[in-house]
Amino acid sequence: MFKMCSVVLLTFVVVRSAYAVVPHTHKIVESVVAPSEWINVGSAPADHIIPLRIALPQANFAALEEHLYAVSDPAHERYGAHLSKAEVEALVAPHPDSVSAVDTWLSEHGILNKRMLDTTFKIFKHKKHGDEIVRTTRYSLPPHLHPHVELVQPTTLFSRVRRRREAVHSVVQAYPRDVRSAGTITVTRSDGSTMTVDASCNATVTIACLRQLLNIGDYRASGTNGNQIGVAGYSEEYANYEDQQIFYRDQLPEAVNSSFTYTLVNGGKNDQNFNSDEYQDDPDMQTVLGLVFPSPGTFYSTGGKGPWIEDSDTPADTVAAYGAWLDFVLAQEKLPQTISTGYESHEQTIPEAYARRVCAGFAQLGARGTSLLVMSGNGGVGDANGDPRTQSCWTNDGRHKRQFLPAFPASCPFVTTVGSTMYVPEVATEFSGGGFSNYWNRPSYQNNAVAEYLTKQLRGTYAGLYNPNGRAYPDVAAQSINFRIAIYGELTAAGGGQQATAAFAGLVSLLNNARIEHGKPPLGFLNPFLYSSGLTALNDITSGSAQGCGTPGFSATAGWDPITGLGTPDFSKLKDLVLAL
């Protein structure tokens, strides 16, 4: 991710309060205005230490991207021939000139001299919450270094962490279980086929319900063939062992006394204290492991914050340390074939250089054969953590322009983004995130599907509120509300985009298990397959809309739409397709 082939991964710099003026040798890289929520309360102590990450350009990323699409396209002769760790690292290694230039620069300054960035760090205090951080509003580098350094952080980036639990609980409260729950319901699929689902799944979604809704049937994973699944957790939110056992006793007795691997990343913790009020990754782990048992599972507890530019409307939000997590997992020789993560932020609050670097790291995962599933969001077309029915949406670039707010990492073209559905038959939820990126152009694999939606369905509606040329999301969807899970030692209900993502990830892990059992490589990056031959195994969702920004938002329609994507998966059909590849 931010490595320089084992050279200067993390540089520790002593902050000096004296301003170093070197106008003839430095040129500004970035200059910002501190967000109004942060107050400058004075110079940082001269002995304060900040760990700086210096990111060098990945010289051959274009070649990596070509490899990624080749091994992910079912029509390509190289489909499934994923790259090794060493092959990927060779492609993304910085140019030797960049390494040499940065090494020389650091050596000249002894790393301890603040003139290296020609800046002064200050202490900023958050008005409402009282948090204090050490930051600067601008930094510079010698002009000859600009082609060799993508970013240096944390410097100009102001951040706070808002955990997921508010969004999770609001989703549960917004959808009372007052629907038909007795008998059975016959569901007609997109292809005209029918399936029968227990009506109780309308009110409470269990693993048994998911197996019906996803048409998994009696298929079971192996615990010994090497298939694995991972869940990436951030923001001091954890998975609890005892909650997992309560869940198993309630829904999967054969799994009782089995567990998962807990991996700590970047100062992450394994907090098992029921009083911590920090177990919002419990639902994710319970859902994925409930579907894939006995395949092994890993929970990554990642500490730290990622860089952040505040919104005027949402000064506090989830700030996931994606870069730190990627540094860790990409350094491993073996990776889970499937990984789920249920975190998101407004795309505009993630500095574009950092977002692009993280997205490039996700591409490395895909090239190595890992399927990464991320959620589309819980705020419709706007606020990632607010009520989609009442939010207003504004840009944070100084223009204060009304605009739909795409989410990250949902908007990265190298991940599979999952939208939200509910009830039986399934309809889109009004909180399901969806939209169009302002950072990435639409990838070729979704050109036909999205172009048809824009010309035949949207037809100019909301012009100016979104980027019609941007990467569109979500790609697919799954059930998202009234999941029966265990938190804080008790069975309760949970819901949100993270549940849909976990459910879809569990299904993908079962598909990977089937391929491994037949001597085939894992699926890796899913989107080229889903937008081509995989379409026939997805059930189109045509009812429901995602509200937000003072508008009715996008509606689910025939074909791809920016609320449920291509639709919900049919495991049995997908299994037949992926085994034929």
Side-chain angles (χ1 to χ4, degrees):
M1 171 50 193
F2 291 100
K3 288 185 178 179
M4 296 178 279
C5 292
S6 77
V7 180
V8 195
L9 168 59
L10 222 61
T11 302
F12 292 91
V13 180
V14 174
V15 174
R16 302 196 181 279
S17 58
Y19 185 74
V21 181
V22 281
H24 300 296
T25 59
H26 281 59
K27 180 180 178 181
I28 292 175
V29 174
E30 185 175 19
S31 180
V32 303
V33 176
S36 60
E37 294 82 6
W38 293 93
I39 304 171
N40 180 349
V41 295
S43 296
D47 60 352
H48 186 85
I49 294 178
I50 299 176
L52 292 180
R53 288 177 178 264
I54 302 172
L56 275 64
Q58 297 173 332
N60 293 311
F61 180 76
L64 173 75
E65 190 173 3
E66 289 182 10
H67 283 287
L68 172 66
Y69 283 120
V71 301
S72 306
D73 182 358
H76 199 283
E77 62 182 3
R78 290 184 55 209
Y79 179 73
H82 302 114
L83 306 185
S84 68
K85 175 176 178 287
E87 289 171 329
V88 168
E89 288 177 343
L91 288 169
V92 300
H95 193 281
D97 290 350
S98 295
V99 176
S100 176
V102 173
D103 277 351
T104 300
W105 168 60
L106 293 174
S107 299
E108 287 175 350
H109 290 281
I111 296 182
L112 299 181
N113 193 330
K114 202 63 226 107
R115 287 189 210 175
M116 61 186 289
L117 296 179
D118 182 23
T119 192
T120 301
F121 281 79
K122 302 287 186 179
I123 299 173
F124 289 85
K125 185 173 183 177
H126 197 277
K127 288 181 182 179
K128 180 178 179 181
H129 300 281
D131 300 24
E132 290 189 352
I133 57 175
V134 174
R135 292 292 186 270
T136 181
T137 55
R138 76 169 181 89
Y139 72 94
S140 304
L141 292 173
H144 76 278
L145 284 177
H146 283 223
H148 302 294
V149 176
E150 283 191 349
L151 56 94
V152 180
Q153 294 296 348
T155 48
T156 57
L157 305 168
F158 296 78
S159 62
R160 289 198 72 258
V161 172
R162 183 180 190 268
R163 297 168 184 153
R164 288 191 305 163
R165 56 175 167 266
E166 291 92 339
V168 173
H169 290 173
S170 65
V171 165
V172 173
Q173 295 165 2
Y175 295 92
R177 293 172 286 180
D178 56 353
V179 292
R180 177 186 168 190
S181 59
T184 60
I185 299 175
T186 299
V187 178
T188 302
R189 311 286 282 180
S190 296
D191 62 0
S193 64
T194 60
M195 60 185 295
T196 300
V197 178
D198 193 316
S200 66
C201 300
N202 250 331
T204 302
V205 176
T206 62
I207 293 300
C209 285
L210 287 176
R211 296 187 73 87
Q212 293 180 51
L213 290 163
L214 300 174
N215 198 21
I216 295 173
D218 296 329
Y219 184 84
R220 302 286 174 176
S222 167
T224 60
N225 65 359
N227 186 50
Q228 298 184 51
I229 191 167
V231 172
Y234 304 91
S235 306
E236 298 180 2
E237 295 182 338
Y238 311 116
N240 185 268
Y241 297 128
E242 179 55 29
D243 282 341
Q244 191 76 34
Q245 295 305 311
I246 294 171
F247 171 81
Y248 281 154
R249 287 193 290 269
D250 179 60
Q251 297 186 40
L252 204 65
E254 63 268 35
V256 171
N257 295 326
S258 67
S259 190
F260 52 88
T261 300
Y262 213 113
T263 300
L264 306 183
V265 180
N266 194 44
K269 299 178 182 179
N270 182 357
D271 188 345
Q272 297 295 310
N273 179 2
F274 272 128
N275 296 322
S276 69
D277 195 31
E278 295 169 347
Y279 290 114
Q280 289 309 316
D281 283 306
D282 268 355
D284 305 41
M285 288 303 295
Q286 290 165 27
T287 297
V288 297
L289 294 182
L291 286 172
V292 307
F293 176 80
S295 288
T298 297
F299 177 71
Y300 298 96
S301 176
T302 303
K305 305 175 183 178
W308 174 260
I309 305 171
E310 295 213 35
D311 275 302
S312 59
D313 285 345
T314 53
D317 203 334
T318 300
V319 190
Y322 302 114
W325 178 75
L326 279 165
D327 279 349
F328 177 85
V329 295
L330 290 174
Q332 310 307 306
E333 287 291 341
K334 295 185 66 175
L335 299 172
Q337 294 88 349
T338 312
I339 296 177
S340 172
T341 186
Y343 291 79
E344 51 125 2
S345 300
H346 291 168
E347 183 185 74
Q348 69 174 2
T349 64
I350 307 298
E352 185 170 355
Y354 179 79
R356 288 187 175 277
R357 190 71 177 212
V358 167
C359 188
F362 295 154
Q364 292 183 50
L365 286 176
R368 289 178 59 181
T370 292
S371 302
L372 180 61
L373 291 302
V374 307
M375 78 167 176
S376 66
N378 286 324
V381 296
D383 185 358
N385 290 290
D387 185 336
R389 295 165 292 190
T390 60
Q391 67 196 212
S392 57
C393 305
W394 308 95
T395 61
N396 66 347
D397 57 3
R399 297 178 301 159
H400 198 62
K401 178 185 176 182
R402 182 167 172 264
Q403 191 174 76
F404 291 166
L405 301 178
F408 181 83
S411 61
C412 170
F414 305 126
V415 303
T416 299
T417 304
V418 185
S420 299
T421 64
M422 60 183 178
Y423 302 146
V424 184
E426 291 180 279
V427 299
T429 68
E430 66 184 27
F431 62 80
S432 182
F436 303 82
S437 174
N438 291 318
Y439 287 175
W440 287 276
N441 290 329
R442 184 165 65 243
S444 59
Y445 61 75
Q446 62 174 190
N447 266 342
N448 291 339
V450 175
E452 183 174 357
Y453 172 80
L454 293 173
T455 57
K456 294 184 179 180
Q457 302 294 339
L458 209 52
R459 291 181 293 183
T461 305
Y462 303 135
L465 294 181
Y466 70 97
N467 173 22
N469 299 313
R471 187 288 205 240
Y473 71 94
D475 303 299
V476 289
Q479 278 280 326
S480 65
I481 68 166
N482 295 328
F483 278 56
R484 183 176 172 86
I485 52 88
I487 296 184
Y488 316 135
E490 296 181 355
L491 290 167
T492 185
Q498 57 276 4
Q499 292 307 116
T501 307
F504 203 100
L507 176 140
V508 171
S509 184
L510 293 177
L511 294 174
N512 278 326
N513 182 87
R515 281 181 60 86
I516 293 170
E517 289 284 285
H518 284 76
K520 296 176 180 289
L523 292 166
F525 180 44
L526 297 167
N527 293 4
F529 162 68
L530 293 172
Y531 281 86
S532 57
S533 56
L535 271 173
T536 60
L538 298 172
N539 184 53
D540 195 11
I541 305 299
T542 59
S543 299
S545 63
Q547 304 179 27
C549 304
T551 75
F554 298 122
S555 297
T557 63
W560 180 91
D561 55 69
I563 176 170
T564 61
L566 300 169
T568 57
D570 184 306
F571 173 79
S572 180
K573 294 178 181 178
L574 283 168
K575 180 166 70 70
D576 289 344
L577 288 176
V578 301
L579 290 182
L581 295 176

